[in-house]
Amino acid sequence: DKIIAITVSLITVILSILFFINDKKEFSENENRYLSKFPEYTFSSLKSGKYTEKVKDYLTDHFPLRDYMMSLKTNTYKVIGIKEVNDVYLSKDGYLIEKFKPFKNIDKITRIINNFKEKTNLNIKVMLIPTSVSINEDKLPKYAINENQIEVIEEFYNKLNTENINIHDTLLANKENFQIYYKLDHHWTTYGAYYAYLEF
């Protein structure tokens, strides 16, 4: 019991020291996002709970050896056969593919667009971009549960009185020749954007 207590205490002290002496990065290249900054204190933010929430986010984003720990967790999942982490599939050929979640309020969004077109009488074009989960469906792990994104896009288009541009088929047709989406995040590559531009 003493050995366990001493070990846990040492780890806590070492991590605390590392937290204070390590440089705080502003941007995470692995996650392609800006990391949380230490929040400015106000009594109202403390009272509402926003201050403590932001402090928690700051501590999480700047935890010592954070990138290494995240990599270790993901690799452990791979070894033991887990194929989904936080709604992201660990897919073939090193792809991390985010699960598709149908957007809410389709009726409200399409109504706003239709009203705008009616009031302005402009020639409005709409192009919804499918994500990697649709274009790289063949790379998903077996038995991956996923909503049909193309059906949702078609449902959205059917409610619009606009000129709708379908780029799914174009991206799908060119994925054998070029990498359309990056492997480690949800963005499309320059090739994907270029083919969408041509279709538009």
Side-chain angles (χ1 to χ4, degrees):
D1 290 345
K2 286 182 180 179
I3 292 172
I4 292 172
I6 291 169
T7 304
V8 170
S9 299
L10 276 174
I11 291 171
T12 304
V13 169
I14 291 168
L15 288 175
S16 299
I17 292 170
L18 285 174
F19 176 81
F20 285 107
I21 66 173
N22 275 354
D23 289 334
K24 305 296 185 285
K25 292 195 300 182
E26 290 186 5
F27 186 80
S28 169
E29 292 181 4
N30 288 342
E31 299 171 83
N32 194 28
R33 70 176 181 90
Y34 286 96
L35 299 176
S36 301
K37 294 181 179 180
F38 195 82
E40 185 178 340
Y41 171 81
T42 62
F43 180 73
S44 61
S45 66
L46 178 66
K47 187 178 178 182
S48 67
K50 288 181 180 178
Y51 180 76
T52 51
E53 188 68 29
K54 287 180 179 179
V55 168
K56 186 191 80 172
D57 291 341
Y58 174 80
L59 294 174
T60 302
D61 276 0
H62 299 282
F63 189 83
L65 307 174
R66 182 171 181 270
D67 289 345
Y68 171 76
M69 296 289 190
M70 289 170 64
S71 176
L72 179 64
K73 175 186 174 184
T74 303
N75 288 328
T76 303
Y77 280 179
K78 285 181 181 178
V79 169
I80 62 178
I82 293 175
K83 296 295 183 182
E84 182 187 341
V85 182
N86 296 333
D87 291 331
V88 174
Y89 288 118
L90 309 178
S91 305
K92 296 174 189 172
D93 300 330
Y95 275 86
L96 300 179
I97 300 179
E98 189 174 8
K99 183 188 284 190
F100 171 62
K101 295 179 180 176
F103 35 85
K104 300 175 181 177
N105 303 325
I106 288 179
D107 290 334
K108 181 181 178 182
I109 297 168
T110 52
R111 189 172 63 251
I112 290 169
I113 294 172
N114 286 334
N115 286 341
F116 181 76
K117 176 179 169 53
E118 186 181 333
K119 289 178 180 178
T120 60
N121 202 28
L122 293 172
N123 178 25
I124 296 175
K125 299 180 181 182
V126 176
M127 185 169 72
L128 293 183
I129 314 302
T131 60
S132 182
V133 75
S134 291
I135 306 304
N136 293 312
E137 192 174 6
D138 57 316
K139 299 189 185 300
L140 291 174
K142 287 183 179 179
Y143 315 115
I145 299 170
N146 203 57
E147 296 269 358
N148 190 317
Q149 188 177 53
I150 304 310
E151 286 182 0
V152 174
I153 290 175
E154 284 302 317
E155 180 190 349
F156 193 92
Y157 280 166
N158 289 336
K159 293 177 183 291
L160 288 174
N161 302 321
T162 57
E163 182 183 341
N164 304 317
I165 301 169
N166 175 12
I167 63 163
H168 175 264
D169 296 342
T170 300
L171 297 180
L172 201 60
N174 287 285
K175 79 168 197 167
E176 299 304 324
N177 302 320
F178 299 100
Q179 185 179 339
I180 301 297
Y181 288 90
Y182 289 110
K183 291 187 174 186
L184 301 182
D185 69 31
H186 63 276
H187 296 97
W188 58 11
T189 63
T190 309
Y191 289 114
Y194 176 68
Y195 281 117
Y197 155 76
L198 290 180
E199 194 67 31
F200 183 83

